[in-house]
Amino acid sequence: MREFALSERYPILYKGYGEISVGDRQATRGRTITDGDITSWCALTGDWFYLHTDAEAAKASVFQQVVAPGIMVFAMATGLAVPADSTAIIANYGSDSIRYPHPTFVGDTIHLEVEVVAKDDKGDDRGVVSLRWQVINQNGVLVCTSVLKVLVAREVPAYGV
């Protein structure tokens, strides 16, 4: 796992579109996946696929244990990287190329490594920032990768205004 300097940990999405540069990077804190996370996710989404919910059947699978839903891992990455109080973010613009090259299991601790890979002006006051997201587990294994696109204000407005 690559170590990030403190300056690389500054959340990109607190910055206005004009302050963000292709090549900007950050790493997030970690988060450990629990059995309760999976059960809650399945209850909220209705995704009761046996590999997520049936420990005995999962033991007989290629994974030999319960697997966290991939889209849950992707969603949790959002919670790690998107600041709840960022006024720079106008909207989620979409995601491309979501892949889960390795499974995530109960007890895995994930973090997110983010890099700005493209910018696209959308007028004088905003633009779309494309972020390469790489969700990494405690062993340095890539478990989810995607390109997230976020519509960002050129200038950061004050909070609550």
Side-chain angles (χ1 to χ4, degrees):
M1 171 173 40
R2 181 173 114 49
E3 290 297 319
F4 281 71
L6 184 58
S7 63
E8 293 175 301
R9 292 184 184 275
Y10 184 79
I12 293 166
L13 294 175
Y14 275 120
K15 298 177 181 180
Y17 181 78
E19 298 174 278
I20 297 171
S21 300
V22 172
D24 285 353
R25 301 161 53 108
Q26 77 177 60
T28 69
R29 64 181 171 80
R31 185 197 194 292
T32 301
I33 305 300
T34 68
D35 188 49
D37 292 330
I38 295 172
T39 301
S40 295
W41 177 266
C42 293
L44 287 170
T45 64
D47 176 6
W48 293 105
F49 187 59
Y50 81 96
L51 284 177
H52 308 319
T53 59
D54 185 334
E56 290 304 310
K59 283 180 190 176
S61 76
V62 66
F63 301 108
Q64 300 179 333
Q65 61 185 303
V66 167
V67 177
I71 200 69
M72 180 190 86
V73 173
F74 176 78
M76 287 180 169
T78 302
L80 291 171
V82 178
D85 60 348
S86 172
T87 58
I89 300 169
I90 297 170
N92 181 344
Y93 204 75
S95 298
D96 294 337
S97 305
I98 299 174
R99 300 286 180 265
Y100 310 102
H102 295 281
T104 302
F105 302 112
V106 172
D108 280 353
T109 298
I110 59 170
H111 75 277
L112 183 61
E113 296 180 4
V114 180
E115 181 179 3
V116 177
V117 293
K119 291 176 63 177
D120 183 21
D121 286 343
K122 294 292 182 188
D124 292 338
D125 61 344
R126 65 190 68 180
V128 173
V129 177
S130 296
L131 305 165
R132 178 182 300 118
W133 279 24
Q134 295 189 314
V135 182
I136 312 290
N137 72 14
Q138 72 280 358
N139 298 316
V141 175
L142 180 68
V143 297
C144 176
T145 184
S146 69
V147 175
L148 179 75
K149 296 177 180 284
V150 181
L151 187 63
V152 176
R154 189 167 301 276
E155 302 293 327
V156 180
Y159 187 84
V161 176

